[in-house]
Amino acid sequence: EADDPSYTQPLMYRKIKALPTATTQYAERLLREKFVAKEYIDGLRTQVRTKLNETYEQAKKHREEFVIEQFAQAPAEQVYRPIPSTAAEYNALAKVIEGCTNLPDDFTLHPKLKALLDRRKDALKGAPIDWGFAETLAFGSLVLEGTPVRLSGEDVSRGTFTQRHLEFSDYETGHGYVPLQHLDPTQARFEVFDSLLSEYAVMGFEFGYSVADPLTLVLWEAQFGDFANGAQIIIDQFIVSAEPKWNQPSGLVLLLPHGLEGQGPEHSSGRMERFLTLSAENNIQVCNCTTPAQYFHLLRRQMYGGEDRRGIRKPLIVFTPKFLLRYSKAASRLDELTTGSFQEVISDARFLGAQIKRVLLCSGKIYYDLVNKREELGRNDVAIIRLEQLYPFPLRHLQDVLRRYSDTAELFWVQEEPENMGPWPFVEGQMQPIINPGGASGPLRRSLRYVGRAAAASPAAGAQKVHNDQQEALVTEAFSSAPGTVRKARRLVRKKR
């Protein structure tokens, strides 16, 4: 402590200074009572001091490398290691589906959940897989492969949006049953905990758990993304900075429901901009998936992206959807889980060539609004590219995608969050090497412009009608002749007659 408490407590600290330390007093008592010899105490002190110094020197030398291949901000001379495949075997997924859709004979299922299990069972016949079930399949495939999984948060066993159902409650007795705990006698541990309403306490505990057990996939979910602000101290002091400060890696996953859907300012934004502001030195991963398959591969990448099955020892921030949980166009197929891997950038494969006059970049749910509007307008001259990973920013991958289009094609970033929030402030800076490769003094290759809501103090409108007007306006603006910021919304106050 550099502070001198004697300024305000001079008498107390004069007495404290005169006293021997607790260690000295304890050692002297042991010697007086002849429990140990002085040589033993001196040797113990030397041993402890030597151990601490050795550990400190080892910590300074050891740095775990981030192993994602497309790590644009890493030094050019770094040697990248390929990511192991994150696809799961068909037989393993079939076993998970079987185990999660066939409950014990003496278990009485809630009548409203029978249709859910029937849909999930039909995945083996080609039925679409929604977000919640893709997550279940990811967890199940991991535990069958020997990787323990632990999920905690408020109401996570059912899911805030009734999408998950990792635990079923007997309709007659109320007793719980977790299918993922009964897939195979040799499987790894699966745990799900509905935690107390204290994000600070629970996130702090789960961070510690992820540090202590690097072989377990540890996840914490907020009921809504903005609830994470109750644990902002844990995020600032530990999650984003523990490795740079203390060389203490963690693979903790934060699941933050995010998306402007007219639910008001308190249940819309997971504050993506905060995490992106805190992104530096390859400290965390920030992702915003648009399909269940992408989410499936992302979860598996977290555990199989590194050597010795230790996974990627970097915290993973996932902005999960709400509306997309059940949106039919956002569903995936089983073969998308048994092949492929997580894509940091998803190109628009059907819209290529010289006929493309405009390229829209986006991330998350807004993609589907843009696709629907393109179909409505018949605009085959517009390509829509998704950034599924925002940090580490996939610059090289995005550069390869943009090379497929003419330099004369207009380039816009489209988002539903206000201009001062969401990914835009971060993306604009990250893309400078693409739009201005010569630096401040060089020629501008192409311009990147913004389409979305105007800057605002509140994350979202407080009324569904205002939200709908704003959303329709910004999506329409993305296809207009001169796109720009949407600054007007329907007035809430009636004019006096």
Side-chain angles (χ1 to χ4, degrees), residues 451 467-478 484 486 488:
V451 177
H467 163 77
N468 291 342
D469 288 347
Q470 290 178 341
Q471 195 76 3
E472 176 61 26
L474 78 87
V475 173
T476 301
E477 190 75 12
V486 175
K488 295 181 180 180

Side-chain angles (χ1 to χ4, degrees), residues 397-457:
H397 191 168
L398 181 59
Q399 202 163 12
D400 290 341
V401 171
L402 291 178
R403 285 195 182 105
R404 304 173 188 177
Y405 303 98
S406 168
D407 287 351
T408 61
E410 299 175 301
L411 188 61
F412 293 91
W413 175 265
V414 187
Q415 68 177 35
E416 57 183 0
E417 300 86 359
E419 188 174 3
N420 57 319
M421 303 178 193
W424 167 244
F426 176 81
V427 169
E428 183 185 26
Q430 295 296 313
M431 288 192 63
Q432 290 305 310
I434 293 179
I435 62 178
N436 192 7
S441 59
L444 192 64
R445 181 177 178 183
R446 65 187 351 155
S447 63
L448 174 67
R449 289 178 282 173
Y450 168 81
V451 177
R453 287 174 169 84

Side-chain angles (χ1 to χ4, degrees), residues 15-230:
K15 291 180 179 180
I16 291 174
K17 189 175 182 179
L19 289 173
T21 65
T23 323
T24 302
Q25 291 184 57
Y26 185 55
E28 289 176 350
R29 180 173 177 177
L30 291 176
L31 290 174
R32 284 198 308 271
E33 297 181 5
K34 298 183 179 180
F35 276 104
V36 295
K38 185 175 184 304
E39 292 76 14
Y40 174 80
I41 293 175
D42 292 342
L44 194 61
R45 281 176 169 156
T46 301
Q47 180 182 342
V48 171
R49 190 178 297 110
T50 301
K51 178 65 175 177
L52 290 174
N53 287 336
E54 289 175 351
T55 303
Y56 176 67
E57 292 301 322
Q58 289 173 5
K60 287 196 299 183
K61 294 177 182 177
H62 178 68
R63 297 288 296 179
E64 290 199 34
E65 292 183 2
F66 203 139
V67 298
I68 290 183
E69 186 174 9
Q70 297 86 7
F71 213 79
Q73 295 187 348
E77 66 273 15
Q78 179 173 338
V79 177
Y80 297 98
R81 297 188 295 273
I83 305 169
S85 172
T86 53
E89 294 184 0
Y90 175 86
N91 290 340
L93 295 183
K95 188 169 188 174
V96 177
I97 293 173
E98 180 74 16
C100 289
T101 56
N102 291 283
L103 305 181
D105 293 337
D106 59 351
F107 188 91
T108 305
L109 182 68
H110 194 293
K112 292 184 178 180
L113 292 177
K114 183 180 183 305
L116 173 79
L117 292 192
D118 289 342
R119 287 196 305 272
R120 292 184 170 184
K121 189 175 298 186
D122 287 343
L124 289 171
K125 302 176 184 177
I129 295 173
D130 62 19
W131 201 275
F133 197 38
E135 179 186 70
T136 299
L137 293 173
F139 293 161
S141 64
L142 286 170
V143 298
L144 286 178
E145 293 166 3
T147 296
V149 176
R150 172 189 176 87
L151 171 66
S152 70
E154 296 139 15
D155 202 20
V156 293
S157 62
R158 187 203 71 179
T160 297
F161 311 99
T162 322
Q163 86 283 4
R164 182 172 282 130
H165 295 291
L166 290 173
E167 180 175 11
F168 296 101
S169 297
D170 191 294
Y171 194 56
E172 299 296 336
T173 67
H175 293 158
Y177 179 77
V178 182
L180 287 179
Q181 295 176 347
H182 306 278
L183 299 178
D184 190 276
T186 63
Q187 71 174 72
R189 182 180 69 257
F190 178 80
E191 298 174 305
V192 57
F193 299 103
D194 294 330
S195 61
L196 72 162
L197 192 64
S198 174
E199 293 83 5
Y200 178 76
V202 181
M203 191 190 295
F205 181 87
E206 299 303 339
F207 171 80
Y209 198 106
S210 72
V211 167
D213 186 358
L215 300 182
T216 294
L217 176 63
V218 183
L219 310 97
W220 175 85
E221 181 178 66
Q223 275 194 326
F224 288 88
D226 52 2
F227 285 24
N229 61 16

Side-chain angles (χ1 to χ4, degrees), residues 86-88 138 292-302 336-343:
T86 53
Q294 277 283 88
Y295 181 48
F296 172 89
H297 288 293
L298 180 62
L299 291 176
R300 288 177 57 80
R301 183 183 80 169
Q302 187 68 1
E336 294 179 82
L337 313 186
T338 57
T339 60
S341 59
F342 178 72
Q343 301 176 68

